Amino acid sequence: MATRGKLTVVEGMAISEAIAANWDEIYNFQARPGDVLIATYPKSGTTWMQEIVDLVVHDGDEQICQRGPIFERIPFIEFSHVMKPGMEEINAMPSPRILKTHLPVQLVPPSFWRHKCKVIYVARNAKDTLTSYFHFDKHVGIHPDPEPFEEYVRRFMKGDVGWGSWYDHVKDFWEARDKHNILYTFYEDIKKNPQQEIRKVAKFLGKELSEDVLNKIAKLTTFEVMKTNPMANASGFPKELVAQSEKCFMRKGKVGDWKTLFSAQQLEIFEADYKQQMSNTTLTFSDKI
Ligand code: PPS
């Protein structure tokens, strides 16, 4: 990797310098009534939920969902200065828009809360998120080199990776779910029972879809189908940012891939720290891994 971006700190969150440089405009983003926000910690199934939501909103019409790459159909707010669509294009999109963010709940642009926008959150278990993020950071230049893995595990536990602490992110959205209009979903649940989780998303968005349409959406959003769909697999990502997008966005799509990276000793340290960091929440992932 020729160039490597650096992390800095904004409002207590570690974030790439490229995003920090435009922080005021990002935080002051003007959401509109009816906008839907897909919010996640990185590598938690964002792209998957993006495709599900676009298909739900369009009644399972796969042709409409071929109208452009996923990152154009559902723009990424914090990246609007890094790649297209930029802020002007996002502002020009007709309502209702579907948007993506990785920001922690306290840093979501306040206009989303002011307009009581619907927010769909996807949480993924910590070890698989870390594993996916490690592979992503190896191939994408916006963050520092993640090698060696042992050091990456330490940084992840401290929240010294892009978008800060996974622990605070999942816990704070969990606490906020009843205060705001938030649907809290889990990657592992979508994997286990996609129809059921897609039905929840549809209900949350006020869409009544037939069983046939729900089944169709579940099929179109399997890992295998999305991986080969150029409009869903992020293969059109700018090459200067992502040299080999297939290694970043549609890598394995499994639950439990962390087992390929963690040593027994790393696991022990990670689990002890996890217990401590997750001791003050009712949120659990234990039966989902
Ligand atoms: S990003 O860059 O933060 O927006 O990445 P994100 O989309 O959140 O997460 C990428 C991981 O999600 C997996 N993925 C899927 N899993 C199952 N089914 C489907 N359809 C699917 N689509 C994406 C993707 O493979 C990444 O996980 P890993 O573990 O790296 O394979």
Side-chain angles (χ1 to χ4, degrees):
M1 181 79 42
T3 52
R4 276 279 170 193
K6 289 193 185 128
L7 287 173
T8 182
V9 176
V10 167
E11 305 286 347
M13 162 189 67
I15 195 77
S16 107
E17 285 184 341
I19 293 174
N22 300 291
W23 177 247
D24 287 347
E25 201 179 347
I26 293 165
Y27 189 66
N28 290 312
F29 178 81
Q30 289 306 304
R32 298 183 209 133
D35 283 345
V36 174
L37 185 65
I38 297 171
T40 58
Y41 187 80
K43 314 321 292 176
S44 301
T46 329
T47 318
W48 194 8
M49 185 55 81
Q50 285 175 269
E51 191 65 8
I52 289 173
V53 169
D54 201 31
L55 279 159
V56 164
V57 165
H58 294 102
D59 304 300
D61 187 330
E62 66 210 282
Q63 293 313 320
I64 292 183
C65 296
Q66 287 287 317
R67 70 192 180 285
I70 194 82
F71 49 86
E72 283 179 18
R73 284 181 276 146
I74 301 180
F76 183 11
I77 296 172
E78 299 95 285
F79 255 43
S80 55
H81 295 87
V82 178
M83 61 178 273
K84 284 188 175 290
M87 213 45 113
E88 264 182 42
E89 288 155 298
I90 301 177
N91 288 336
M93 280 174 82
S95 291
R97 299 169 297 184
I98 311 166
L99 300 156
K100 156 183 168 177
T101 189
H102 288 319
L103 291 170
V105 73
Q106 77 280 8
L107 297 181
V108 166
S111 55
F112 283 99
W113 310 128
R114 223 171 26 243
H115 294 305
K116 300 187 171 24
C117 295
K118 291 181 181 173
V119 177
I120 301 177
Y121 188 77
V122 190
R124 187 181 193 184
N125 77 78
K127 296 196 291 280
D128 281 336
T129 302
L130 185 162
T131 301
S132 181
Y133 213 168
F134 173 73
H135 288 290
F136 179 85
D137 274 347
K138 274 206 293 195
H139 297 284
V140 181
I142 60 164
H143 294 145
D145 189 348
E147 303 274 13
F149 180 67
E150 196 173 350
E151 176 58 19
Y152 197 71
V153 174
R154 256 197 298 274
R155 284 178 42 210
F156 185 92
M157 293 191 299
K158 278 199 305 187
D160 186 20
V161 291
W163 286 275
S165 162
W166 173 90
Y167 310 85
D168 291 344
H169 208 287
V170 295
K171 287 190 292 187
D172 293 346
F173 262 102
W174 181 250
E175 293 309 321
R177 75 196 186 288
D178 294 329
K179 193 168 142 215
H180 298 296
N181 213 352
I182 298 173
L183 175 71
Y184 200 104
T185 68
F186 293 91
Y187 179 101
E188 296 77 15
D189 288 348
I190 313 174
K191 194 84 194 165
K192 202 164 163 186
N193 197 339
Q195 278 88 348
Q196 174 188 295
E197 297 307 303
I198 295 167
R199 192 178 296 115
K200 275 188 206 162
V201 169
K203 186 163 176 240
F204 182 68
L205 295 177
K207 297 288 294 185
E208 280 209 24
L209 302 181
S210 67
E211 284 302 302
D212 281 355
V213 172
L214 286 174
N215 289 338
K216 181 181 175 190
I217 295 175
K219 272 198 197 124
L220 288 170
T221 54
T222 58
F223 180 78
E224 292 70 26
V225 172
M226 276 184 62
K227 194 177 168 70
T228 56
N229 175 357
M231 292 304 159
N233 65 12
S235 55
F237 231 72
K239 289 285 175 252
E240 61 279 14
L241 286 176
V242 184
Q244 294 166 291
S245 55
E246 69 281 5
K247 294 192 176 160
C248 313
F249 295 99
M250 294 288 155
R251 198 182 57 89
K252 285 191 182 170
K254 283 187 181 163
V255 176
D257 191 50
W258 61 268
K259 290 173 190 138
T260 60
L261 279 181
F262 279 74
S263 69
Q265 198 195 7
Q266 278 159 355
L267 186 60
E268 198 178 315
I269 295 168
F270 189 87
E271 296 289 16
D273 176 76
Y274 184 94
K275 213 168 160 188
Q276 212 190 346
Q277 295 214 50
M278 298 299 277
S279 63
N280 58 351
T281 180
T282 55
L283 172 65
T284 55
F285 286 80
S286 51
D287 57 340
K288 298 176 193 297
I289 307 174

